[in-house]
Amino acid sequence: MAVNKYKDMIVDKYSNDDEDARLTKDRAHNMEYLTTMRYVQKYLKPGDKILEIGAGTGRYSIALAKMGYDVTAVDLTPKYVDIMKRKSKGLKNFKCMVADALNLNMFEDKSFDMVLNFGPMYHLFNKKDVNKAIKETLRVAKKNGICMFAYLPCASFVSCYGLRHQDVTTLCAGMDKIGRIKPYPSDIFTCFYIEDFKKLFDKTPTTYITNVATDGISYALREWVEELPKKEYEAFVKWHFLTCERPDQQGYSAHLLYICKKK
């Protein structure tokens, strides 16, 4: 049975974070939610059955259930599952449970029309586990089902962490000769070059759809984004939506979204 060997460290970290407020606490964080939900809704069809892996406190899953979709949400952190149960009280088309992205054996093959892997890829530190998480996500998706994977680009570690915390030297110490940053289990995060993440799907039964910068430059420049007058902010969001699939907008996004279809 595959399990993330860093499970206890990850659960401890998230049990002490306010994940419930993360996507709404300011404009930069909300951009990730707005963009991701925009793409989820773009590929949803009436009556679709959805699984979210790494659902956190259910910001996406519960919203989708309230839209009428049949939604199942799983997360590694028991505290978050308890929050989801409390927040979803009365929603008969929503269920949630504790589960590891590396082992979704509670679900049969080809069970869901859309599978959202929205957190686990941040916390896998070797290729075997990365490939296992992808395999499990695809396994439970139906033929022609849409699968989405959130992941972190290497440049965001430098721009969104290293520069802000004046700790670029630590990141550089763990880089390879072309600037890839090694996984940091002690900080529970890992990142990818975009082309490396795409290659993970070369031998999978999938068709590539697109790659999206879910928060673009808004996270790195969040103070400026927060200070924009309403009209200027609305114009910025419009521009972001128009350009978030462009390769030249993606590297410095704090979060990326890989979208594919299962063959």
Side-chain angles (χ1 to χ4, degrees):
M1 181 185 296
V3 294
N4 190 327
K5 74 175 187 177
Y6 297 100
K7 174 183 174 181
D8 291 343
M9 187 184 299
I10 294 166
V11 169
D12 182 66
K13 189 267 183 188
Y14 279 104
S15 294
N16 292 295
D17 276 4
D18 187 8
E19 178 67 16
D20 198 42
R22 186 181 71 83
L23 292 171
T24 59
K25 66 181 182 180
D26 56 37
R27 286 173 169 177
H29 287 82
N30 191 232
M31 185 75 84
E32 179 191 348
Y33 176 81
L34 294 174
T35 308
T36 301
M37 187 61 85
R38 181 182 178 90
Y39 279 87
V40 169
Q41 291 180 275
K42 178 178 180 178
Y43 292 102
L44 274 174
K45 304 182 300 297
D48 272 357
K49 188 177 179 181
I50 304 167
L51 171 66
E52 185 181 0
I53 310 164
T57 57
R59 182 65 63 180
Y60 294 103
S61 291
I62 293 174
L64 291 166
K66 288 179 177 178
M67 294 176 193
Y69 293 99
D70 182 336
V71 181
T72 300
V74 301
D75 198 87
L76 195 62
T77 305
K79 176 182 175 180
Y80 287 176
V81 174
D82 289 341
I83 291 173
M84 282 193 281
K85 288 178 179 178
R86 185 170 68 249
K87 289 171 62 178
S88 64
K89 190 174 182 179
L91 279 175
K92 295 182 179 180
N93 56 327
F94 178 85
K95 53 184 172 292
C96 59
M97 65 195 75
V98 175
D100 190 324
L102 302 182
N103 180 20
L104 300 174
N105 64 0
M106 67 288 299
F107 305 120
E108 296 182 0
D109 295 359
K110 304 175 184 178
S111 296
F112 299 94
D113 301 285
M114 179 176 281
V115 185
L116 309 173
N117 185 315
F118 279 178
M121 308 309 290
Y122 305 165
H123 311 302
L124 300 173
F125 305 107
N126 61 69
K127 192 169 183 178
K128 180 180 178 182
D129 286 352
V130 168
N131 288 332
K132 179 62 175 176
I134 291 172
K135 184 177 180 180
E136 278 292 88
T137 297
L138 298 178
R139 178 184 67 78
V140 300
K142 295 179 181 178
K143 182 178 180 180
N144 296 320
I146 298 296
C147 298
M148 300 189 182
F149 296 82
Y151 67 105
L152 307 175
C154 289
S156 73
F157 273 45
V158 177
S159 62
C160 298
Y161 176 80
L163 292 178
R164 286 184 168 274
H165 297 277
Q166 298 185 16
D167 201 18
V168 179
T169 52
T170 299
L171 296 177
C172 287
M175 287 181 185
D176 67 13
K177 63 183 179 180
I178 63 168
R180 292 188 188 93
I181 300 170
K182 71 177 181 181
Y184 276 90
S186 61
D187 290 327
I188 74 161
F189 290 108
T190 193
C191 63
F192 301 85
Y193 269 2
I194 294 171
E195 62 267 28
D196 291 338
F197 196 83
K198 289 181 177 180
K199 286 178 183 177
L200 293 170
F201 294 83
D202 283 351
K203 296 181 180 180
T204 64
T206 61
T207 300
Y208 171 74
I209 296 177
T210 192
N211 196 69
V212 182
T214 51
D215 36 25
I217 62 171
S218 64
Y219 197 83
L221 302 178
R222 53 189 177 270
E223 290 88 357
W224 290 5
V225 172
E226 200 63 31
E227 293 172 0
L228 285 173
K230 182 180 179 181
K231 185 177 180 180
E232 291 294 312
Y233 175 67
E234 290 173 350
F236 174 71
V237 172
K238 181 179 180 180
W239 172 81
H240 170 73
F241 287 160
L242 288 171
T243 62
C244 61
E245 292 184 49
R246 288 184 56 85
D248 56 8
Q249 299 298 324
Q250 294 180 6
Y252 285 99
S253 182
H255 304 83
L256 294 173
L257 187 65
Y258 181 93
I259 306 176
C260 59
K261 178 185 286 190
K262 183 177 176 182
K263 293 179 181 177

